[in-house]
Amino acid sequence: SGSNTRFHSYTESGTQTSASSFVQFASAGGVSTSFTFDPKCTYDPVEDRFVVVFLNGGSANSSKVIIAFSQTNDPSGAWNVYAINGNVNNLGVWTDFVQIGLNTNELFVTGNPFTNAGSSQGAVIWQINKAEGYTGATLNPVQHYVPSSFSLHPVQGGSTLYGPNMFFLESSLGTSNSITLHQITNSIANNGVLNAGLGFTLDNSYTIAPDADQKGTTINLRTNDTRVQSSYMENNRIEFVLNSSVNGRAGVYHGTGQIVSFALSFSAFTGRTIGFPEYDIAYPSIAYAGQMDLSGYNHSYISYNISGANFFPGMAAVYSDESGY
């Protein structure tokens, strides 16, 4: 588990086994940091290891992408820690909003480069051989820079990891009924290539959500924008979630993509919304629930933050299948 400044590990029963600041965490692996933020932590079910990625620095001179691979299946033990320059292509930028995804052999890290003045400079993907990280060898990442995109979200397998290809989702940052699917074909060893994105029209639109109410104060909670927050791929379907306005309140947009692997142009995407009259919900996460029904729906769990004028902030979840939520 990671917050902007701290890293913790626990047993499955909830006993804490380690706790440190990310400055301490990186320093133990020989990497110097100062201002850390945007951590992502994940488990690799193929290698039985853990991966942690976070950012350092809010300027071109200080920006680093910190990538750590656990040396064993114990996250409270030793880690191999690396730093990638966040000043992409020496454009005078710093990297923001890191996202990660694994496939069978590789780790994919995405970010959004910004100038020191706050101007967006597109999106970047780093494609990394997992074996190098787990063994402590020198990382040889391949960088894919996409100046015309923003927030490319890696799509990881739902029940296991797939490969060698990797998909990425890109939504619009406002009212839209479109989604763009990007794909890296082949591994680094086979000269992985980022293909041109394919745009798809959704049957329902998403839009910027209003800020959320909370009990006991007139101060609202920010719900941010409509970038993709979470996803998985299973049974040739991509499931994804993002923030959206639903009947005038903060809600969740749940999209599904039917993927035709041999001809992506024949793939199709649809979307449904989740909303409540008495609650605001935002920042969703989605996970495969272990089955697909005969009608072709993947069953999923969707969790999210929840709040309301008569409800203190908390967390909640729904179960999703063909009948709804």
Side-chain angles (χ1 to χ4, degrees):
S1 170
S3 68
N4 271 349
T5 58
R6 296 191 61 79
F7 174 71
H8 297 253
S9 62
Y10 303 84
T11 65
E12 290 185 351
S13 61
T15 301
Q16 184 171 276
T17 56
S18 71
S20 68
S21 71
F22 271 119
V23 172
Q24 295 168 324
F25 176 87
S27 178
V31 174
S32 175
T33 59
S34 54
F35 171 60
T36 65
F37 59 102
D38 281 6
K40 295 290 186 294
C41 311
T42 193
Y43 172 69
D44 184 337
V46 173
E47 303 298 334
D48 190 27
R49 301 285 186 91
F50 292 87
V51 177
V52 171
V53 179
F54 58 97
L55 298 175
N56 177 84
S59 69
N61 290 334
S62 61
S63 182
K64 300 176 187 176
V65 181
I66 311 299
I67 303 173
F69 299 83
S70 68
Q71 294 183 9
T72 69
N73 64 359
D74 180 4
S76 65
W79 292 71
N80 299 322
V81 184
Y82 303 86
I84 294 175
N85 188 357
N87 183 4
V88 177
N89 291 348
N90 291 316
L91 294 173
V93 295
W94 59 279
T95 296
D96 189 27
F97 195 67
V98 70
Q99 301 186 77
I100 64 175
L102 297 168
N103 69 10
T104 47
N105 295 310
E106 295 176 331
L107 166 69
F108 298 84
V109 179
T110 69
N112 299 324
F114 285 88
T115 66
N116 290 343
S119 174
S120 174
Q121 299 297 302
V124 62
I125 302 171
W126 287 280
Q127 184 178 5
I128 298 165
N129 186 325
K130 293 191 304 187
E132 294 173 350
Y134 291 136
T135 60
T138 300
L139 287 191
N140 294 284
V142 172
Q143 178 184 287
H144 306 273
Y145 176 51
V146 193
S148 59
S149 290
F150 186 76
S151 280
L152 300 179
H153 177 82
V155 182
Q156 188 170 301
S159 64
T160 187
L161 303 182
Y162 301 108
N165 297 358
M166 190 72 177
F167 289 110
F168 302 82
L169 290 173
E170 179 184 7
S171 58
S172 298
L173 297 185
T175 300
S176 179
N177 64 344
S178 67
I179 193 80
T180 302
L181 184 67
H182 302 260
Q183 181 181 204
I184 290 179
T185 49
N186 290 327
S187 63
I188 292 174
N190 292 306
N191 301 313
V193 174
L194 177 62
N195 295 260
L198 290 176
F200 295 92
T201 300
L202 297 154
D203 55 347
N204 288 302
S205 297
Y206 51 84
T207 188
I208 295 287
D211 287 342
D213 296 325
Q214 58 176 326
K215 185 177 179 178
T217 179
T218 58
I219 298 173
N220 292 335
L221 299 169
R222 299 176 71 177
T223 57
N224 211 336
D225 53 36
T226 53
R227 73 189 73 186
V228 176
Q229 297 281 334
S230 178
S231 68
Y232 72 81
M233 181 175 68
E234 194 69 31
N235 300 313
N236 290 320
R237 286 163 172 77
I238 290 176
E239 308 282 344
F240 66 95
V241 286
L242 49 84
N243 297 329
S244 180
S245 178
V246 179
N247 296 322
R249 300 205 72 136
V252 167
Y253 189 93
H254 173 202
T256 299
Q258 172 70 51
I259 303 302
V260 181
S261 56
F262 65 87
L264 282 181
S265 59
F266 293 102
S267 301
F269 281 77
T270 61
R272 300 185 286 175
T273 57
I274 308 169
F276 301 95
E278 69 273 36
Y279 301 126
D280 293 296
I281 62 176
Y283 302 108
S285 208
I286 189 168
Y288 181 53
Q291 64 177 326
M292 181 179 72
D293 53 54
L294 295 177
S295 60
Y297 280 89
N298 283 329
H299 291 203
S300 305
Y301 288 104
I302 301 172
S303 64
Y304 39 78
N305 292 345
I306 186 169
S307 185
N310 299 306
F311 189 79
F312 291 118
M315 297 184 69
V318 292
Y319 186 83
S320 168
D321 59 20
E322 77 284 0
S323 64
Y325 303 99

